[in-house]
Structures are given as structure tokens and as C-alpha cells.
């Protein structure tokens, strides 16, 4: 079936290539744009953001810090200076508003690697691979905190590919390229969407911020759905789609409420029927859901 | 209560098995991480932490590896450890022999640290203790060989406090002085300028982390002469004068020069006529 190997082909035919890749392009521009703000200092001597995504200082005034890394530090038993606390609070509020795992889809550099692996998997029609429970990431999240408390150190940061890749791009890669290759091959051959959608504790952490996130994708025109399955094929977290898309009979949806939705909006791109749209949760004009589906709130 | 249906029992078993498999898988991963972290967090001796860094164990729990200290270091002294290096990945360090700490008065790296891994309470750079210089090789140090290199002494930002030159008799020539560089732990910050400046191809003076460079006296150990001075007098009464069995014409200066030959002839040892001096037997000419 064509749509399995090339999801979005129909959308490209009906909407044009640009419209069928709009959100993907915006996402890549955001990912690389933010990275360039970090890199303009070391590369050009124009210091916009100093540091890396673990903690940074924008234009010498605005501190931003990763709350997941900070949480490890807190579990390790260190009470930090206010600067990093303020930075983490700003990030928490931001992702609470725009959707927790927007971090994954719009900022995280590993997303580019695993998206590439997923794309190649589809193209090559690779069907095999280990199935890891999606809940594993929450176990790993707990483990990172337990191990920080046990050792008094930020142990996950010794292996965290997200912060390591970002730091590497700005401060020097060392052996991080091998890690990148390993992640790519892991997602390509070992486990489909294995890292980002099953194992990464950072994504799991940010997903918890999405419980009441206002900005969500909604299957507003779900009656238009022609069951082409493109959205399922492209979605990194396809389990979040059915309640929103097919929940009309149960009075569920149309808003996607699964906390692991990354708001990547690829479903909007690849849908030739324009079923999906970004909505604001508490805006009655765009968000016409009947009843909150609690069963889908937890992953 | 009704018996749970067959379907329910299977799903419960399924649920518990999945739960156990996740827990065990993650526990395995965690154990591996724990072992790896033990190795990864051992700091090599040549890697020095920035000024104001917490003790290493606390530092590893406080530093978020953001690199803001590195960015604000005006001399590019600090580096973030790259993956594959011996230092815990992403943490800041410097190598004295490569680029030492220039000891900025405003300590920008400490100011930049958002977490307090570099302690804000450090406001005077002279109070920092990044490590401790040790003159490790007395066999190759030029000053130990009797030469006047003195470079480590000269470049020391706390010259004559952190490193002093102590005169010692040069037994090889019998008539010269060795100027021995001595590091004082109460002043040395471990900036590494001495190690950087050492003229030898491999530095004879090196900065080590405090834990490696410093010995520690036993808790109960007391230095008698210090205790005596503190008490303002002997703690053993009566303070008995030590009796030395000395050859005639010698006396012993207890807190000073040690063994002294009493001068019998209070005048100059040189006769008015230099020929008289030269014609005296050799043992009398010697001092």
C-alpha cells in the first residue's frame, strides 16, 4: 500500500508540496533556528544565547533552564541558586502553555535523528523490530531520579543523548557522533520510534506538563476522514489519535488529549482532507468537544 | 463477590507481567548506569575544577553542564568535557599545563554559574582552592640542581606567599646555596601558572587536586613546641633544660642555629699579615 511507505502523498497531490509539509518545515526551522541562536556566539562572536539547553542565558538577562536536569540535581541533594530556579520556572510555564512535548517536536535535536530513522523505516518498508512498552519511559524517568538520589550526582546526564547532542553541537562533539549513529540505527532497525516514543525520560517528563495544555491538535473535521491511515503512519505517538478521530460515537474528542502528543502537527500536514487543526483548549469557538476523556489523559 | 471472568484474569496476568518486565528492564539499565557512573565520575589528577567548585561529589550533583562558566572565562581556560574524555561528560575543567587559571579579580566563571556548583561565596580569588601545586620531581627541578631558574616562583600570582624560595646548603659544591621552591598550602590557589611556566619539557611542579596533594596529621597529634608557645610556657613542669653532651668549645642553641662552635678568639680570624693566615695549618683555617 502506497500510503504506508509514503504517508502524505495524497496530501501533496491535493494541497501541494508546501502546504503538505508546512508544519514540518516550521518545526525544522524552529529546531535549527534555536540552535543557530546558540551557535552565533561561538561561530560569529554574536552572543545571543549563551550556554546550552541544560541552562542558558539569553542576551545576558533571561535565564532559561531545563527543569528535568534541575530535578535530577534536586534529587541529588543540591539546592541551587535562584537563577536556575527562575530559568526552570519560565520553561515549565512555557511548555505548560504550548504543550509539554512541544519540546520534543520543536526544540530537541534528537527528534531530527529519530524522524529521519522513522522516515527511512517507512521508505524501506522495515516491519520488524522489538516492541518496547510505551510506559517504559516513565519507569526510566523514575529511575533517573532514584539514581540521582542514590549517587548524589546527575547520572542520567552522563548518557542523556538530548543534552549531550545539544552540548556537543555547541561545545564540541567528541564521541557524540557515534551516539547519534547508534540512536539512528536503534530507531531504524531495533525498535521503531524506540527512543523518543518509548524510552526517553526527558520526553516523559515534559509529557507530564501537557495534562492541561491549552494548545492542542484537534480532529475538528473528523467526519471528513477517509480512513487513509496516513496520520497513523506518520505520527510518532499514534495511540493519541483514535480517541480524537474515532471517538464521536462515545462522545470523545475531537481534541487530542493524550499527553504524549508532541504537537508536531505532521497529522495536519499529511491529511488530504484537512481533518486536523490546531485549537485552543478553552476556546469554545474552536474547541467543540463534549466530554473530557479521562482514559486517554494518562498514556 | 463474583469470580473474575477468564478474560479479566488473563489481562491481570498480562498487566502484572508487563509491569514486572518494565521494572526489571529499567532496574537492569539503572544498575548498569550506576556502575558506569562510578567510573565516569572519577576525576583524573590533571583535570582541575574552576575556582569555587564544590567538593567533587557535591559538584557532580550541582553542575548542570551548561557551560556558562566556560563562556565567561576570558582566557579560554575552562573547557567542557567532551564525550569520551576522562572527565564526567559536560562538566567544566581546565588543565594547568595547557591554559592555567589567570585568577581574574571579578571571578566571571563563578558569577556566571546559575546553580551554585561554583560557590557564590567565593569573592576573593586568592581564597580559591582549585588544587595545590606540588614540586613533584626534585631530581629534574633546576633549582634543586643548584641553578637559579626560579620561574615558578616568579610567575606565581602570590609570589613569596604561595611559593617561597628557601635557602639550603648545596652539598655538591660545598660553597653554594640551593634556592628550593616551597609551596605553602595556606596560600596556593592551584591556579597552575607555575606548572604552565615550568621550563622543563615535562613540568617538575604540578598542580594536583587537594585530596592528592595534601597529607593530614592524625587528629590527636600535637606539635610540642607549638603547644608550648600557645600555653605561654612549658606544659611539663619543671621545664628541664636539655643536657647535651658536647665537646669542649661547643654549645647548643635550642631554638636557633643548633650546634655552635664557641669563638675562642673574639677578634678577626685573619691576621694583619695575610701570609700568616695562609701559613696556618689547614684545620685552623677552616671555619
Amino acid at each position: 500500500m502506497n500510503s504506508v511507505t509514503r504517508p502524505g502523498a495524497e496530501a501533496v497531490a491535493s494541497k501541494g508540496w508546501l502546504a503538505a509539509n508546512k508544519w514540518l518545515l516550521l518545526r525544522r526551522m524552529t529546531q535549527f533556528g534555536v540552535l543557530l541562536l546558540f551557535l552565533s556566539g561561538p561561530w560569529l562572536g554574536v552572543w545571543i544565547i549563551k550556554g546550552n539547553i541544560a541552562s542558558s542565558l539569553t542576551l545576558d538577562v533571561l535565564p532559561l533552564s531545563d527543569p528535568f536536569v534541575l530535578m535530577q540535581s534536586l534529587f541529588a541533594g543540591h539546592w541551587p541558586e535562584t537563577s536556575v530556579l527562575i530559568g526552570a520556572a519560565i520553561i515549565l510555564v512555557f511548555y505548560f502553555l504550548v504543550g509539554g512535548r512541544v519540546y520534543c517536536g520543536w526544540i530537541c535535536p534528537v527528534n531530527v535523528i529519530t524522524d529521519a530513522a522513522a522516515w527511512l523505516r517507512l521508505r524501506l518498508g522495515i516491519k520488524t523490530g522489538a516492541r518496547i512498552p510505551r510506559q517504559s519511559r516513565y519507569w526510566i524517568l523514575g529511575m533517573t531520579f532514584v539514581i540521582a538520589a542514590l549517587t548524589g550526582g546527575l547520572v542520567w546526564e552522563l548518557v542523556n543523548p538530548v543534552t549531550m547532542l545539544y552540548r556537543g553541537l555547541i561545545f564540541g562533539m567528541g564521541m557524540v557522533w557515534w551516539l547519534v549513529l547508534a540512536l539512528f540505527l536503534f530507531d531504524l532497525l531495533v525498535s521503531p520510534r524506540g527512543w523518543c516514543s518509548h524510552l526517553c525520560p526527558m520526553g516523559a517528563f515534559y509529557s507530564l506538563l501537557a495534562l492541561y495544555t491549552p494548545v492542542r491538535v484537534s480532529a475538528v473535521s473528523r467526519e471528513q476522514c477517509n480512513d487513509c491511515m496516513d496520520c497513523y503512519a506518520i505520527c510518532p505517538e499514534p495511540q493519541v489519535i483514535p480517541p480524537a478521530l474515532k471517538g464521536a460515537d462515545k462522545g470523545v474528542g475531537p481534541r487530542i488529549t493524550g499527553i504524549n502528543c508532541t504537537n508536531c502537527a505532521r497529522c495536519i500536514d499529511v491529511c488530504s482532507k484537512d481533518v486536523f487543526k490546531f485549537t485552543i483548549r478553552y476556546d469554545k469557538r474552536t474547541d467543540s468537544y463534549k466530554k473530557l476523556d479521562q482514559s486517554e489523559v494518562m498514556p | 463477590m463474583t469470580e473474575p471472568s477468564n478474560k479479566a484474569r488473563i489481562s491481570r496476568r498480562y498487566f502484572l507481567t508487563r509491569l514486572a518486565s518494565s521494572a526489571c528492564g529499567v532496574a537492569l539499565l539503572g544498575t548498569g548506569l550506576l556502575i558506569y557512573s562510578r567510573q565516569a565520575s572519577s576525576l583524573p589528577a590533571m583535570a582541575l575544577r574552576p575556582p569555587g567548585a564544590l567538593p567533587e561529589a557535591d559538584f557532580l550533583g550541582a553542575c548542570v553542564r551548561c557551560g556558562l562558566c566556560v563562556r565567561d572565562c576570558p582566557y579560554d581556560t575552562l573547557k567542557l568535557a567532551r564525550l569520551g574524555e576522562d572527565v564526567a561528560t559536560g562538566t567544566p575543567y581546565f588543565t594547568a599545563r595547557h591554559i592555567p587559571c589567570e585568577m581574574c579579580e571579578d571571578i566571571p566563571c563563578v558569577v556566571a554559574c546559575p546553580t551554585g556548583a561554583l560557590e557564590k561565596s567565593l569573592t576573593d580569588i586568592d581564597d580559591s582552592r582549585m588544587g595545590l601545586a606540588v614540586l613533584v620531581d626534585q631530581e629534574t627541578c633546576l633549582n634543586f640542581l643548584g641553578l637559579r631558574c626560579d620561574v615558578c616562583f616568579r610567575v606565581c600570582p602570590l609570589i613569596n606567599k604561595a611559593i617561597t624560595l628557601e635557602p639550603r646548603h648545596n652539598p655538591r659544591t660545598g660553597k653554594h646555596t640551593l634556592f628550593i621552591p616551597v609551596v605553602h598550602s595556606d596560600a596556593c590557589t592551584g591556579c597552575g601558572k607555575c606548572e604552565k611556566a615550568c621550563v622543563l619539557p615535562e613540568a617538575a611542579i604540578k598542580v594536583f587536586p587537594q585530596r592528592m596533594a595534601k597529607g593530614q596529621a592524625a587528629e590527636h597529634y600535637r606539635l610540642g613546641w607549638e603547644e608550648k608557645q600557645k600555653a605561654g610556657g612549658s606544659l611539663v613542669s619543671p621545664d628541664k633544660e636539655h643536657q647535651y653532651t658536647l665537646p669542649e668549645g661547643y654549645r647548643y642553641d635550642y631554638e636557633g642555629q643548633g650546634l655552635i662552635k664557641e669563638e675562642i678568639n673574639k677578634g678577626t680570624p685573619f691576621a694583619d699579615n695575610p701570609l700568616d693566615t695562609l701559613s696556618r695549618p689547614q684545620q685552623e683555617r677552616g671555619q
Side-chain angles (χ1 to χ4, degrees):
Chain A
M1 205 162 80
N2 191 35
S3 73
V4 173
T5 53
R6 282 172 184 264
E10 234 176 286
V12 172
S14 67
K15 298 195 284 190
W17 187 87
L18 201 64
N21 288 285
K22 183 179 88 175
W23 290 104
L24 177 66
L25 291 172
L26 279 173
R27 233 154 39 80
R28 293 290 178 253
M29 277 157 63
T30 312
Q31 281 165 327
F32 287 105
V34 171
L35 182 62
L36 281 175
L37 293 180
F38 277 101
L39 284 173
S40 76
W43 283 4
L44 308 170
V46 183
W47 295 97
I48 300 166
I49 314 182
K50 271 186 201 169
N52 61 52
I53 39 165
S55 191
S56 66
L57 194 62
T58 303
L59 299 171
D60 282 326
V61 279
L62 177 70
L64 295 173
S65 297
D66 188 275
F68 170 64
V69 178
L70 179 64
M71 280 287 278
Q72 291 177 64
S73 183
L74 290 173
F75 272 97
H78 175 74
W79 184 251
E81 297 280 332
T82 40
S83 167
V84 79
L85 292 171
I86 293 168
I90 295 170
I91 291 294
L92 283 173
V93 170
F94 177 76
Y95 285 109
F96 173 81
L97 291 175
V98 300
R101 292 199 59 197
V102 161
Y103 177 83
C104 305
W106 293 73
I107 300 291
C108 180
V110 173
N111 169 266
V112 182
I113 300 158
T114 57
D115 271 0
W119 175 84
L120 193 61
R121 241 187 107 83
L122 282 173
R123 274 301 174 87
L124 299 178
I126 302 171
K127 295 275 175 7
T128 53
R131 289 201 338 203
I132 305 164
R134 284 186 188 271
Q135 288 85 348
S136 302
R137 52 185 146 195
Y138 294 99
W139 286 91
I140 295 174
L141 177 65
M143 183 266 286
T144 61
F145 293 148
V146 168
I147 215 163
L150 281 177
T151 60
L154 274 66
V155 174
W156 187 253
E157 294 309 300
L158 294 173
V159 293
N160 188 351
V162 179
T163 49
M164 261 202 270
L165 177 55
Y166 222 94
R167 196 191 309 115
L169 289 167
I170 301 167
F171 287 90
M173 287 294 270
M175 288 171 71
V176 176
W177 288 122
W178 292 104
L179 191 74
V180 168
L181 182 68
L183 270 178
F184 179 81
L185 293 177
F186 177 75
D187 264 30
L188 180 70
L189 300 169
V190 181
S191 179
R193 292 275 180 194
W195 183 258
C196 298
S197 301
H198 297 80
L199 295 173
C200 180
M202 215 157 175
F205 179 86
Y206 278 100
S207 78
L208 301 176
L209 297 177
L211 279 166
Y212 303 103
T213 282
V215 183
R216 296 268 73 165
V217 173
S218 180
V220 282
S221 312
R222 55 184 167 183
E223 66 283 357
Q224 301 282 318
C225 174
N226 63 355
D227 295 329
C228 74
M229 304 296 281
D230 276 9
C231 56
Y232 289 98
I234 204 76
C235 181
E237 302 278 351
Q239 80 281 7
V240 304
I241 296 178
L245 189 62
K246 298 292 165 192
D249 302 343
K250 299 177 205 154
V252 179
R255 192 187 64 238
I256 292 176
T257 52
I259 58 173
N260 276 304
C261 171
T262 65
N263 277 4
C264 76
R266 272 305 269 164
C267 53
I268 304 180
D269 276 348
V270 299
C271 183
S272 60
K273 300 291 172 195
D274 286 331
V275 167
F276 298 97
K277 222 179 99 182
F278 265 121
T279 59
I280 305 295
R281 191 173 204 159
Y282 305 106
D283 183 353
K284 291 279 189 295
R285 286 167 301 176
T286 57
D287 194 15
S288 57
Y289 74 100
K290 309 283 188 301
K291 190 174 128 228
L292 188 68
D293 177 24
Q294 288 297 339
S295 68
E296 190 45 36
V297 168
M298 286 310 286
Chain B
M1 249 184 86
T2 54
E3 278 286 306
S5 71
N6 197 37
K7 194 182 159 200
R9 240 183 290 142
I10 288 165
S11 75
R12 181 184 300 147
R13 172 178 296 175
Y14 177 76
F15 173 76
L16 289 173
T17 321
R18 291 277 278 202
L19 202 69
S21 75
S22 293
C24 291
V26 171
L28 183 68
L29 182 70
T31 311
L33 256 182
L34 207 69
I35 295 164
Y36 172 63
S37 79
R38 286 284 165 92
Q39 292 180 339
S41 56
S42 62
L43 190 66
M46 300 320 285
L48 301 172
R49 292 298 186 197
L54 295 170
E56 186 60 16
D58 299 334
F59 182 81
L60 290 174
C63 172
V64 294
R65 288 90 158 133
C66 68
L68 285 173
C69 54
V70 173
R71 288 299 181 225
D72 281 7
C73 175
Y75 298 97
D76 289 337
T77 300
L78 296 176
K79 288 190 294 180
L80 284 192
R82 296 178 182 192
L83 189 63
E85 285 181 2
D86 301 346
V87 183
T89 185
T91 55
Y93 76 101
F94 71 98
T95 315
R97 188 67 165 168
H98 183 51
I99 309 179
C101 174
E102 294 288 339
M103 289 177 59
C104 313
E105 278 183 20
D106 50 348
I107 329 179
C109 49
V110 171
V111 176
C113 180
T115 65
L118 309 180
E119 272 184 300
K120 291 276 190 286
S121 57
L122 179 75
T123 49
D124 182 354
I125 190 67
D126 291 352
D127 293 337
S128 65
R129 291 293 178 266
M130 295 166 266
L132 182 59
V134 183
L135 209 156
V136 280
D137 195 356
Q138 307 189 351
E139 293 174 333
T140 52
C141 171
L142 297 179
N143 273 42
F144 264 89
L145 296 175
L147 300 155
R148 290 303 302 274
C149 165
D150 299 358
V151 166
C152 55
F153 169 77
R154 293 283 163 206
V155 298
C156 180
L158 295 167
I159 184 168
N160 232 2
K161 291 196 201 82
I163 303 182
T164 56
L165 292 179
E166 303 293 327
R168 295 277 185 276
H169 176 61
N170 184 341
R172 181 176 61 82
T173 65
K175 55 191 169 189
H176 295 102
T177 308
L178 303 175
F179 288 88
I180 302 298
V182 176
V183 180
H184 301 275
S185 63
D186 58 345
C188 175
T189 63
C191 72
K193 296 203 78 167
C194 52
E195 182 179 339
K196 169 71 179 172
C198 181
V199 300
L200 300 179
E202 178 71 46
I205 189 164
K206 289 190 167 86
V207 178
F208 289 137
Q210 294 269 346
R211 71 193 148 85
M212 299 184 71
K214 198 84 181 88
Q216 194 184 14
E219 192 102 342
H220 64 275
Y221 204 81
R222 298 288 180 274
L223 301 176
W225 54 94
E226 281 184 1
E227 297 301 315
K228 186 175 169 184
Q229 201 158 27
K230 265 192 260 171
S234 173
L235 298 159
V236 189
S237 62
D239 189 11
K240 212 172 165 220
E241 191 70 39
H242 190 85
Q243 299 296 313
Y244 297 99
T245 311
L246 297 171
E248 204 175 333
Y250 285 86
R251 65 183 171 85
Y252 196 87
D253 182 34
Y254 179 57
E255 277 172 348
Q257 302 166 315
L259 199 61
I260 298 164
K261 186 180 178 185
E262 298 277 9
E263 289 297 340
I264 302 158
N265 182 0
K266 293 293 176 199
T268 166
F270 305 106
D272 290 339
N273 183 356
L275 287 175
D276 291 350
T277 312
L278 286 171
S279 58
R280 269 188 352 224
Q282 186 145 14
Q283 62 266 35
E284 275 186 41
R285 264 194 281 141
Q287 282 178 300

